[in-house]
Amino acid sequence: MRKFETSGWEKVSECDRTHVLDVFRGFLQEVMQLAVDKGYITLEEKEEFISPAFASSTDAAVLSK
């Protein structure tokens, strides 16, 4: 867990990295699916673009920082 503080605020938030990454992945998936549905990109382009976000090696690299 990492704590974040903003200057001038008393509130401290804790974020679990795995949970945050899962939420971002879900958001990315939804946005890219909308782009496919609206005809901006193909399904193949979507899969090529988002595949690094779902690679297990990416998890290890991001989580180790």
Side-chain angles (χ1 to χ4, degrees):
M1 297 254 183
R2 176 173 271 182
K3 292 183 181 183
F4 294 94
E5 295 183 45
T6 57
S7 61
W9 293 88
E10 296 294 323
K11 186 174 182 178
V12 175
S13 298
E14 291 186 11
C15 298
D16 177 63
R17 290 179 182 172
T18 303
H19 176 71
V20 170
L21 289 174
D22 288 343
V23 171
F24 281 140
R25 285 184 189 113
F27 176 75
L28 177 61
Q29 183 80 357
E30 288 182 36
V31 169
M32 296 302 290
Q33 188 59 50
L34 284 172
V36 170
D37 294 346
K38 297 292 183 179
Y40 292 109
I41 61 172
T42 66
L43 183 59
E44 292 79 20
E45 290 170 323
K46 170 195 162 194
E47 295 302 324
E48 181 181 343
F49 182 82
I50 67 171
S51 63
F54 293 89
S56 61
S57 61
T58 302
D59 292 345
V62 171
L63 292 174
S64 68
K65 290 185 179 180

